């Protein structure tokens, strides 16, 4: 069955809502999805308790470096398997800023996104599908350039800034200065993801219609050279955020890398059915 | 249990994701939600087959006037039961444009939103909770005024325009001219809603983790005077929409009204569990 | 000559750039312009020196209450004399937040806008025409409602919030609570405006191509009832603003009123020609 | 004198409005400005009369290929001479879409921008300073990538899409497919610019306060390899545009190139003073 057809005679078509007779209106096309972009990763350590409080059973803190956090800006171009979005780039391009921690599940270490903002609706709901708790924000990250003065070169001394705002409030500000090369872009976001996918019942009484623990990773990942360096980060208050609970205690460093990846499916690990 | 706490010892708090230790980061606060706004309703008839193709089993066409469609612009201020959002109006205000049809379920007539756009993230995902398949768009509707020349008066001759765009393409344009009063704002959106709440499995193979038929209505609804009049509407093409399938065959009319309503919960009618 | 035709044989048409053969592309249509909207005015006193430093010769401080400041949110619908924009409301609606002080020129008291943000391009450049130094921002102000719980009533106790952000930073936050009626909406913005209209030479060496002192006021002003009350305001830092220099020392009060006005032309008081 | 100080004792500081005591609030910092970006140029021929009608005296059509038009998407990072904007990239990054023709002035061939849209306020008014008649729009252009499937490579077959929308209407759509290399990115935008800088009097009676003919070019221009290829373009209608008057009659081709440039000043060629 193709395109997320729900398998019901006369059923509507479309991977995601709104489902329709043709499937054309779906906010998110069916996977696989292809991504090419630039990722700036800032890693630091916070109080391990601040990470632990974001890990519900059956998850626990990572054995090593349980307070490690990554804040990542990813400046993406992405598309479905028709590649049509690349010719209508409003439907392909977006930036996301996400905060990742590590955790332990059944003896394995996983990465887990705890907070994340994007600036396009298709990216937001595609993220919900993958268990990323995406909200909308105003996100910017410096791009490297090869000509002219208005941007860093990918070499020692190259300086980057990155910001995340929502509802007109600045939430996160970071800087990154290249000092050299690195074998990989940090370690916090380096594991398969383990996410919850949750959705409350329409009875809205504290019960969930969907409450799953899932894991996933991309495939055919292709990366460019990785640049490492020094980083700074500041987290700010908002009436609808709690980022300052993850305030940095010790900086680890920063990394910049071009990344190509693809996503086809994840795996449901546990599922709590609604009663 | 309050605020959508998931009931798990050590469980995260928050009505909607992202859930956290405090619940403060939740994209949508727990109900009840309160709404006050202005609604412009344009009703027309399309080919009944164009409506029927959007109604999957167990739904069927309405017995009477099965091709009736309403396109509604609602210019809302809304808030949770703390009312705090009213003092930070970026978190309270949004416009939505939605297309509603009628259908029959177990012998009763219901309204059903088939397509809808909003311009704030909290409104988008709150809509997903209620089964409204919301996407983001650029929405505008004329407001009535009481002084000056730059707006219609709420009296015969008062003229309104309304538009809906997404991804930089104009999708819908409408006009409305008041001719007199009406007892109510049309009939298409006048029934309790019957919606599907669907979410694909992370296996992304055409199966759903959540597949529910739900119904709901607001409570303590309070309306102002209702103005009726003549209306025009045009639907345009987009590579990710199929609105022209609902092209008008015969206009019915338009209505304008101030509406206050509240929402606490809906009811799950049917649920298909994931296997 | 109509529509700002520049009077040159073969000259392009259009009130504002881009001028063209038809004048149709002009960012701003020719006056008169009509406005209907809601204005929330917050008045306070700052250090008079903070006002004086914003008044270049030939302007001086007002004789009385030289430290008085008004911060105003205006939620407008506006149009040209064709009224066509009212049926395409994306071209009619905008919000502006502006900071006004008073000053003295040739023995008369004037109002003067020192900082201002809007959220539409036509409003921005129309403001430049009138000497309002408009920048783009993210602006919100609570609207009063007549039904439902999600908004204040226009009566004692009615509470409003208002915010102004730019570049993802919150710049101004205010609240207003109605206590009663007032004969008018404060005093700071109550005089004809005296503005500079400046534009640097393309030689960009500190000289100006346009450097004028102008005055203007609306005509056929029509207002609704005026509500007065208590107000709070906070101004925040930004690397490209200096609002904290105008920090409140003493609150005066707040006012809410519906306003209809019209604008046709201003008067050039002084003009310094480029050499 | 630095930073556009107007040279008046007690005068306000700031290159552009709003001028203030510190100059910090200025919407546009003083030049020089530095730019690094990616430019997609689509060239075609239209009816020469459609170009000629946009060239007021003292300008005339180019001697050769008078109907040649370039439509350019430039995806920029830019900054002032402090380079601070590069660390707050919301103040550095923007995209612009501009339409350029050629003309003749005093025996020399110049390029001239007739219509242009940007998506940030500092870029808009900085453009006004340079005689670019900038309006706001929603602009997107595909970026080349080096890893992954979601973007073209800079090699034959690499495909790009580009769009320009304003007020929720799609105005321009283009595609470009690399076929090989080229010595330079077309010819239409290859000359120094000759622009008008105009601003109506506040008397708004068809007279101008500023009416200048200016020329300018960047300095220290640095370009990357230039890729040429096939292009398509479509121009659409809008009530506030007249782009279809420049409809393509014959495609010339497309070009993609990285560009670094800098801008310090222009030269006033002619100035008509207000009376």
């Amino acid at each position: 069955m193709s395109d997320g057809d729900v398998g019901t005679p006369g059923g509507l078509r479309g991977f995601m809502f709104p489902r329709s007779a043709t499937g054309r209106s779906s906010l998110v096309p069916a996977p696989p999805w292809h991504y090419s972009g630039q990722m700036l990763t800032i890693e630091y350590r916070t109080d391990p308790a601040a990470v632990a409080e974001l890990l519900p059973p059956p998850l626990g803190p990572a054995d090593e470096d349980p307070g490690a956090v990554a804040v990542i800006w990813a400046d993406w171009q992405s598309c479905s398997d028709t590649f049509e979005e690349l010719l209508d780039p409003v439907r392909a391009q977006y930036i996301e800023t996400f905060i990742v921690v590590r955790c332990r599940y059944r003896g394995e270490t996983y990465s887990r996104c705890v907070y994340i903002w994007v600036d396009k609706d298709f990216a937001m709901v595609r993220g919900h599908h993958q268990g990323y708790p995406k909200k909308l924000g105003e996100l910017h990250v410096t791009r490297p350039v090869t000509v002219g003065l208005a941007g860093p070169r990918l070499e020692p001394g190259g300086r980057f800034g990155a910001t995340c705002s929502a509802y007109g409030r600045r939430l996160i500000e970071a800087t990154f200065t290249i000092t050299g090369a690195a074998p990989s872009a940090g370690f916090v976001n380096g594991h398969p993801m383990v996410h919850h996918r949750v959705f409350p019942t329409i009875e809205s009484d504290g019960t969930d219609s969907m409450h799953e623990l899932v894991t996933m990773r991309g495939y055919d990942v292709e990366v460019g050279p990785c640049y490492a360096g020094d980083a700074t980060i500041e987290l700010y208050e908002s009436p609808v955020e709690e980022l300052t609970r993850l305030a940095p205690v010790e900086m680890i460093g920063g990394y910049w890398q071009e990344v190509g990846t693809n996503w086809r499916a994840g795996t449901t690990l546990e599922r709590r059915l609604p009663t």
Side-chain angles (χ1 to χ4, degrees), chain A residues 35 41 43 47 49 54 57 87 130 144 165 177-178 198 220 252 262:
Chain A
Y35 303 72
T41 302
E43 293 190 333
D47 180 346
L54 293 170
L87 295 184
Q130 299 172 323
S165 297
T177 308
I178 296 174
V198 296
D220 289 356
I252 296 173
N262 306 272

Side-chain angles (χ1 to χ4, degrees), chain A residues 167-183:
Chain A
Y167 294 126
R169 291 182 182 86
R170 191 51 71 83
L171 299 180
I172 312 176
E173 292 178 350
T175 68
F176 168 64
T177 308
I178 296 174
T179 55

Side-chain angles (χ1 to χ4, degrees), chain A residues 4 16 29 86 125 127 154 160 171 197 206 210 218 220 239 257 260 272:
Chain A
M16 183 62 70
L86 296 182
V125 177
L154 288 171
F160 295 72
L171 299 180
R197 302 190 339 149
M210 180 171 76
D220 289 356
Q257 190 172 47
R272 181 194 308 166

Side-chain angles (χ1 to χ4, degrees), chain A residues 13 26 39 73-74 128 167 187 254:
Chain A
R13 303 180 60 86
S26 176
M39 293 180 70
W73 279 260
H128 298 165
Y167 294 126
F187 68 102

Side-chain angles (χ1 to χ4, degrees), chain A residues 88-100:
Chain A
D88 189 21
V90 60
R91 291 192 281 140
Q93 294 173 343
Y94 65 102
I95 299 179
E96 57 194 358
T97 301
F98 50 120
I99 302 184
V100 181

Side-chain angles (χ1 to χ4, degrees), chain A residues 190-206:
Chain A
H191 306 275
M193 309 305 295
V194 73
H195 283 159
H196 278 85
R197 302 190 339 149
V198 296
F199 210 82
T201 60
I202 202 172
E203 283 72 16
S204 308
D205 57 2

Side-chain angles (χ1 to χ4, degrees), chain A residues 96-141:
Chain A
E96 57 194 358
T97 301
F98 50 120
I99 302 184
V100 181
V101 298
R102 283 146 58 256
C103 61
R104 195 164 180 81
Y105 172 70
R106 299 200 168 192
E108 298 291 323
T109 302
Y110 289 84
S111 300
R112 180 177 175 89
C113 174
V114 289
Y115 302 120
I116 176 170
W117 298 263
V118 294
D119 54 14
K120 290 274 169 70
D121 61 351
F122 71 86
M124 189 177 167
V125 177
R126 190 171 65 187
H128 298 165
H129 177 66
Q130 299 172 323
Y132 286 94
K134 293 188 182 184
K135 302 195 279 192
L136 283 184
E138 202 186 321
L139 315 162
H140 292 81
V141 55

Side-chain angles (χ1 to χ4, degrees), chain A residues 11-265:
Chain A
L12 300 178
R13 303 180 60 86
F15 179 71
M16 183 62 70
F17 51 76
R19 287 182 176 158
S20 66
T22 74
R24 181 168 152 132
S25 302
S26 176
L27 175 52
V28 181
W33 304 314
H34 311 293
Y35 303 72
S36 294
Q38 303 180 343
M39 293 180 70
L40 171 66
T41 302
I42 310 282
E43 293 190 333
Y44 67 88
R45 292 179 179 98
T46 188
D47 180 346
V51 173
E53 72 177 16
L54 293 170
L55 306 176
L59 308 176
D63 285 346
E64 288 180 37
D65 227 340
V69 178
V71 183
I72 303 171
W73 279 260
D75 190 350
W76 289 121
Q77 211 158 249
S78 74
C79 62
S80 68
D81 217 33
T82 67
F83 297 91
E84 65 182 84
E85 297 87 352
L86 296 182
L87 295 184
D88 189 21
V90 60
R91 291 192 281 140
Q93 294 173 343
Y94 65 102
I95 299 179
E96 57 194 358
T97 301
F98 50 120
I99 302 184
V100 181
V101 298
R102 283 146 58 256
C103 61
R104 195 164 180 81
Y105 172 70
R106 299 200 168 192
E108 298 291 323
T109 302
Y110 289 84
S111 300
R112 180 177 175 89
C113 174
V114 289
Y115 302 120
I116 176 170
W117 298 263
V118 294
D119 54 14
K120 290 274 169 70
D121 61 351
F122 71 86
M124 189 177 167
V125 177
R126 190 171 65 187
H128 298 165
H129 177 66
Q130 299 172 323
Y132 286 94
K134 293 188 182 184
K135 302 195 279 192
L136 283 184
E138 202 186 321
L139 315 162
H140 292 81
V141 55
T142 313
R143 288 193 205 107
V145 302
T146 61
V147 290
L149 297 177
R153 298 296 193 275
L154 288 171
E155 60 190 34
R159 298 190 70 197
F160 295 72
T163 64
C164 169
S165 297
Y167 294 126
R169 291 182 182 86
R170 191 51 71 83
L171 299 180
I172 312 176
E173 292 178 350
T175 68
F176 168 64
T177 308
I178 296 174
T179 55
S184 70
F187 68 102
V188 177
N189 195 38
H191 306 275
M193 309 305 295
V194 73
H195 283 159
H196 278 85
R197 302 190 339 149
V198 296
F199 210 82
T201 60
I202 202 172
E203 283 72 16
S204 308
D205 57 2
T207 56
D208 282 339
S209 284
M210 180 171 76
H211 192 104
E212 301 170 338
L213 190 70
V214 302
T215 187
M216 59 179 200
R217 59 187 326 168
Y219 67 94
D220 289 356
V221 178
E222 189 188 354
V223 297
C226 183
Y227 303 88
D230 300 323
T232 69
I233 193 157
E234 281 213 64
L235 306 172
Y236 297 101
E237 286 287 356
S238 158
V240 288
E241 305 293 348
E242 48 200 291
L243 301 178
T244 55
R245 296 175 81 89
L246 291 168
V249 169
E250 177 192 357
M251 295 305 297
I252 296 173
Y255 309 88
W256 190 95
Q257 190 172 47
E258 281 188 276
V259 178
T261 186
N262 306 272
W263 196 93
R264 178 178 295 113

